[in-house]
């Protein structure tokens, strides 16, 4: 689980978050470090050998030495290619492990958050943090230490070799380093602001796509396609403006670094060339030094890139830290109280109070539901019926009062066990992408073919399954199934879960009365003797019930027949 730690600096947080995952691949990390250092060393030797090739071999007229050094060059080139290949493959393995592990931690955290978080947060914003921001932190957490290590090692080796050739030219080249550091510091605020703006616009565009795709049928029916295109163009314009600012910031900072590096090369040309012309320095040394100046610019550019990468990672880490600060509303108890088996399904609400913010939805709600009861729960829209179901499944805990299953407080029961025993079928059930088999095994991964077919038969989908097979795809957003088929498939999933309590939350709302009665008939046959709670606006669709309870003004009461008969019997 990711946890925000404001006592640490952001760089330390990024590294601390990734460290446990890196430790799991310690051998791979060691291989990457060793191969990286070997590759850097192999790349730094040619300029030094070039000096001997020019001065001792070519100028000195030693053909044998020239051939020997050419052979060494060939070995270094082939060895460098092999080392780079092994290094990149090892790094890919380590990088993928780290990225996937960090993303899984964020996903694990997201799965603990309450429905209210998803109600107030745009889907594209969550996707942006889960994908782009996690990847940015991963790159910094792994790439930055590796880049710093490789850059410092390369600079140290280059410095030793350059000093051995010419201390004066070495001093000229490294005299520009303070200017490069100052340029990076001055560019930092610009980089940070532009990166934050680009992340924000990227998240807004992702949200536009997610929400528009979900509402595509409505957009088509409303003749709003052109307006949506105009909205997309507006998002593109905002994103391009933010992207341009970010690119200008990166190009400005990087360009200044390249100019300063180029200035170092020009100084070597000017001073080294003058010394060589005066006979105070060999041509080979000047040639080698020009090569080293160019190559020394690489590690310096890498270190500058780490700095600019940190500005991007800092924004991403702040965004992930905001997500991590969202705390779960409920957690499974450390030492859960086991339910007696078989679970009877007896429910009790004892003076339950719950509200969102200052608005109370339930106020002293009290109700006893004996095991095996078929109860119809009615009430006006917005009265809190769905909130009550969320409390029973422990998406929230009551702010006062108690909810009990078989005499055990719900907050003392293992969360997974509670949700296995108390299953909800919504009026718009969520079906996952894939086939009918995939959707059934989503809730019962170990169920065999016989159990799957039995569940479909009991739910009234036997003909559909036999005709198309369990491999029939449900389509995007279950578009290949009718609403009645989607409800029956959700009922088949509930049958496989085999709960002690089944809740139908407006499941038959909007269906033709015969279809609704057929679905309720299947429920009564399969779940006879178990606790059933049917939330409805149409009592005619739920058949005979043992009890009717109305949720009114935050309380559970017996309905007044005169006051409520009309709305309760209305087909909606």
């Amino acid at each position: 689980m990711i946890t925000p730690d404001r006592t640490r600096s952001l760089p330390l947080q990024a590294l601390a978050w990734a460290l446990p995952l890196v430790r799991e691949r310690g051998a791979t990390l060691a291989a990457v470090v060793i191969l990286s250092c070997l590759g850097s060393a192999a790349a730094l030797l040619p300029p030094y050998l070039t000096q001997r090739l020019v001065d001792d071999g070519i100028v000195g007229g030693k053909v044998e030495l020239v051939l020997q050094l050419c052979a060494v060059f060939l070995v270094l080139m082939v060895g460098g290619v092999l080392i780079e290949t092994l290094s990149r493959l090892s790094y890919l393995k380590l990088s993928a492990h780290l990225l996937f592990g960090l993303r899984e931690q964020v996903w694990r955290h997201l799965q603990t958050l309450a429905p209210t978080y998803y109600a107030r947060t745009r889907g594209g914003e969550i996707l942006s943090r889960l994908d782009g921001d996690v990847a940015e932190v991963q790159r910094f957490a792994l790439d930055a230490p590796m880049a710093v290590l490789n850059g410092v090692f390369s600079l140290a080796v280059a410095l030793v070799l350059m000093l051995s050739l010419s201390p004066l030219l070495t001093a000229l080249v490294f005299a520009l380093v303070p200017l490069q550091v100052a340029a990076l510091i001055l560019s930092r605020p610009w980089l940070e602001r532009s990166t934050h703006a680009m992340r924000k616009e990227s998240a807004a565009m992702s949200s536009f796509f997610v929400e528009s795709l979900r509402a595509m049928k409505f957009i088509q029916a409303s003749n709003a396609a052109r307006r949506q295109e105009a909205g997309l163009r507006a998002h593109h314009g905002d994103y391009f403006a933010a992207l341009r600012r970010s690119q200008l910031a990166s190009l400005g900072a990087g360009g200044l670094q390249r100019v300063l590096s180029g200035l170092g090369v020009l100084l070597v040309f000017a001073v080294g060339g003058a010394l060589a012309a005066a006979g105070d320095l060999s041509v080979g040394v000047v040639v080698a030094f020009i090569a080293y100046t160019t190559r020394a610019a690489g590690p310096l550019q890498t270190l500058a890139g780490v700095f600019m990468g940190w500005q991007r990672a800092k924004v991403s880490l702040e965004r992930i830290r905001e997500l991590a600060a969202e705390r779960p509303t409920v957690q499974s108890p450390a030492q859960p109280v086991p339910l007696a088996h078989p679970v009877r399904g007896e429910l009790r609400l004892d003076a339950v109070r719950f509200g969102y913010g200052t608005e109370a939805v339930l106020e002293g709600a009290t109700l006893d539901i004996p095991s095996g009861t078929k109860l119809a729960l009615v009430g006006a829209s917005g009265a809190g019926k769905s909130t009550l179901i969320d409390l029973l499944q422990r998406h929230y805990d009551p702010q006062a009062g108690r909810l009990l299953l078989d005499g055990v407080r719900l907050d003392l029961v293992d969360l997974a066990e509670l949700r296995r025993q108390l299953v909800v079928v919504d009026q718009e059930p969520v079906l996952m992408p894939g086939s009918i088999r995939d959707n059934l095994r989503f809730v019962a991964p170990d169920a065999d073919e016989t159990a799957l077919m039995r569940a479909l038969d009991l739910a009234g989908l036997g003909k559909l399954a036999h005709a198309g097979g369990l491999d029939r795809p449900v389509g995007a957003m279950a578009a290949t199934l009718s609403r009645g088929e989607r409800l029956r498939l959700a009922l088949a999933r509930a049958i496989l879960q085999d709960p002690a309590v089944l809740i139908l939350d407006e499941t038959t709302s909007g269906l033709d009365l015969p279809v609704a009665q057929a679905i309720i008939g299947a429920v009564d046959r399969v779940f006879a003797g178990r606790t059933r709670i049917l939330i409805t606006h149409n009592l005619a669709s739920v058949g005979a019930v043992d009890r009717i309870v109305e949720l009114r003004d935050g309380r559970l009461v017996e309905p007044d027949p005169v006051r409520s008969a009309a709305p309760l019997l209305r087909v909606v």
Side-chain angles (χ1 to χ4, degrees), residues 47 170 187 195-196 259 346 363 373 451 455:
T170 302
S187 65
T195 300
H196 192 279
V259 168
E346 175 185 302
E363 189 66 70
T373 299

Side-chain angles (χ1 to χ4, degrees), residues 375-386:
L375 180 142
L377 178 62
V378 299
S381 296
K385 301 185 294 298
S386 295

